[in-house]
Amino acid sequence: MITFGIMTLSMESEIAYFNEMASLAQSCGMEVFRFMPSKIDPHTLQVKGQKFDSKAKGWLEMELPIPAIVYDRCFYGEDEHSKQCLPIVSWLKNRKDITFLGYGLPNKLELYNAVKNTELSSYLPTSQSISDSGTVLNYLTSMKKIILKPINGAQGYGIYYVKKNDKTIHVKTEKQKKIISRIFPNEAKLVQWLQPLLKQRSYLLQPYLELSTNEQQPFDIRILLQKNEQGIWGERGRGIRIGSTGGILSNISAGGSVVTFSEWLSSLPPAKGDYIRQEVDFILSKLPAILEKEFLPLFEIGVDIGIAKNGSIWILDINSKPGRKVLFHTRPDLQETLYLAPLLYGKHLSQTEQIERKNYYEKTLSH
Ligand SMILES: Nc1ncnc2c1ncn2[C@@H]1O[C@H](COP(=O)(O)OP(=O)(O)O)[C@@H](O)[C@H]1O
Ligand SMILES: [Mg+2]
């Protein structure tokens, strides 16, 4: 029996997803074992975790060897436990006897720097690291409207819209599903606010793109790509995420809602709709191979694509640990496929030779 390992930072995270997966494991000839990196004993290489008992339909506490196949669903924060787990996961990724379904992607800035030299470069918003508040002021003078985002961010956390008016500066963000607006009377006051922010974490800066509907709701297209049981990339589905009127984020975690891609497309003039579909399909046909060439093997990615009011198309974000909410909403018929996918790809990996798969390792630990 193949043991399929699920690695998380908390035994409470994504429990519904893992319960469904684990219930299907036996039909694939697999058993599921959940564990946290911090529970590994480095001397015995045993780990305390929970194995799914398919008869009792529940999890049993158990100590087992580290599974040879690992589905990494660790979401790191700034907390101590995250900091403790990062080097352990790095060590695991380096071990020849353990295969990860996907090895993750680096931070947003490294991702940008790698993809900007490929044929997808024209779809990337220019991104620049911020060394100090001077960088922000210079950019603001030339661009007028910019976006600041943490290079290690996720779920829309810590994203700021900054707009320069004649004298004042307008800053907008979304926190706990609320839009927060602030006007600074001059640059000096803005700098006073910026300096501690930039000290806390690393930020990048992008031009603000008008990615809103006519009703001033920010929106984007979210696509889930996964490898199938033969290791071949394919699209599972796509949906439109729509944020609050006057807001800046379309993330579901920030309160966004979902409509189907076809419903949204039918609201556009047919020629514009066809053009957008072709462009999105082109991006998706190239992206997985580009990422796996630049970095390490992946199992799945969630891609955020923005469509600006002027019709331009932008790759906003690529997530190696994507959520499934948009697809569960737009394609409820896909649920079982999505629960089975990691198991089937894990099975494929356990049956194929892994030596070629990870021939180098660095800079892959991130979101
Ligand atoms: N340059 C930009 N211009 C306008 N809106 C943006 C820009 N970048 C991101 N957004 C909005 O913010 C959301 C979150 O940004 P993203 O880069 O995906 O970060 P996260 O990793 O936090 O999801 C996007 O889905 C989009 O709605
Ligand atoms: Mg995103």
Side-chain angles (χ1 to χ4, degrees), residues 108 149 154-156 159 206-207 209 220 248 250-251 304 317:
K108 290 186 198 300
K149 62 175 95 161
Q155 302 195 321
I159 295 187
Q206 291 178 342
L209 305 161
D220 63 14
I248 48 175
S250 45
N251 302 62
D304 302 343
D317 193 19

Side-chain angles (χ1 to χ4, degrees), residues 32 91 95 112 176 184 199 203 237 274 283 310 328:
V32 172
W91 164 78
R95 289 189 66 94
Y112 169 75
Q176 282 148 4
F184 292 94
K199 252 198 208 124
Y203 277 82
D274 279 347
I283 293 171
N310 66 4
F328 280 160

Side-chain angles (χ1 to χ4, degrees), residues 59-277:
W59 299 90
L60 302 175
E61 301 284 335
M62 207 165 284
E63 186 167 341
L64 291 180
I66 307 170
I69 297 287
V70 173
Y71 186 29
D72 177 4
R73 294 292 289 179
C74 294
F75 298 97
Y76 302 99
E78 304 287 322
D79 55 291
E80 282 309 308
H81 187 236
S82 291
K83 285 181 191 148
Q84 180 198 355
C85 288
L86 263 163
I88 303 173
V89 174
S90 176
W91 164 78
L92 274 181
K93 284 184 173 177
N94 260 324
R95 289 189 66 94
K96 297 254 180 300
D97 54 344
I98 293 166
T99 303
F100 279 57
L101 263 66
Y103 286 84
L105 288 169
N107 67 49
K108 290 186 198 300
L109 204 58
E110 284 183 43
L111 203 51
Y112 169 75
N113 285 326
V115 181
K116 79 166 187 230
N117 299 318
T118 70
E119 59 190 313
L120 295 182
S121 64
S122 59
Y123 298 98
L124 296 178
T126 316
S127 305
Q128 191 183 320
S129 66
I130 303 178
S131 47
D132 54 36
S133 48
T135 320
V136 178
L137 294 181
N138 285 341
Y139 226 75
L140 208 50
T141 304
S142 59
M143 304 293 301
K144 306 293 182 223
K145 291 179 190 177
I146 61 173
I147 285 277
L148 307 185
K149 62 175 95 161
I151 66 169
N152 282 311
Q155 302 195 321
Y157 182 78
I159 295 187
Y160 294 89
Y161 159 86
V162 186
K163 177 176 174 239
K164 191 170 164 53
N165 302 320
D166 280 347
K167 289 206 180 76
T168 61
I169 296 134
H170 181 189
V171 175
K172 194 157 62 172
T173 190
E174 288 190 47
K175 240 184 216 158
Q176 282 148 4
K177 307 192 179 177
K178 287 198 188 74
I179 302 168
I180 302 168
S181 245
R182 228 174 130 173
I183 308 276
F184 292 94
N186 53 44
E187 288 192 345
K189 292 282 180 205
L190 177 77
V191 168
Q192 261 178 27
W193 168 78
L194 259 178
Q195 271 172 343
L197 184 85
L198 300 179
K199 252 198 208 124
Q200 259 172 32
R201 53 177 59 86
S202 307
Y203 277 82
L204 65 77
L205 181 161
Q206 291 178 342
Y208 171 74
L209 305 161
E210 307 274 349
L211 309 172
S212 307
T213 63
N214 291 336
E215 287 73 43
Q216 307 313 324
Q217 294 165 304
F219 79 102
D220 63 14
I221 309 172
R222 174 40 96 94
I223 307 108
L224 179 68
L225 304 180
Q226 285 184 326
K227 283 181 179 162
N228 68 9
E229 66 283 358
Q230 276 141 17
I232 296 164
W233 282 102
E235 176 178 338
R236 295 288 182 201
R238 54 179 82 170
I240 305 291
R241 309 186 296 182
I242 305 179
S244 327
T245 307
I248 48 175
L249 305 174
S250 45
N251 302 62
I252 303 297
S253 44
S257 55
V258 177
V259 296
T260 64
F261 183 70
S262 49
E263 190 185 325
W264 174 75
L265 214 56
S266 65
S267 70
L268 300 179
K272 187 172 179 189
D274 279 347
Y275 170 74
I276 291 174
R277 203 182 21 221

Side-chain angles (χ1 to χ4, degrees), residues 288-359:
I290 287 176
L291 296 175
E292 290 193 310
K293 180 167 171 275
E294 295 289 336
F295 307 110
L296 286 172
L298 297 161
F299 154 58
E300 58 186 348
I301 50 172
V303 189
D304 302 343
I305 295 185
I307 314 288
K309 284 196 170 136
N310 66 4
S312 54
I313 294 170
W314 302 95
I315 303 173
L316 294 178
D317 193 19
I318 308 164
N319 297 275
S320 61
K321 291 170 188 162
R324 266 140 265 271
K325 285 209 187 90
V326 172
L327 277 197
F328 280 160
H329 198 91
T330 53
R331 294 286 309 273
D333 57 305
L334 274 186
Q335 288 201 22
E336 186 159 300
T337 309
L338 294 183
Y339 295 134
L340 275 172
L343 296 166
L344 295 179
Y345 181 59
K347 192 169 182 181
H348 165 78
L349 286 177
S350 71
Q351 291 163 348
T352 42
E353 193 60 72
Q354 292 310 313
I355 294 159
E356 285 302 307
R357 220 177 152 245
K358 43 173 180 176
N359 46 12

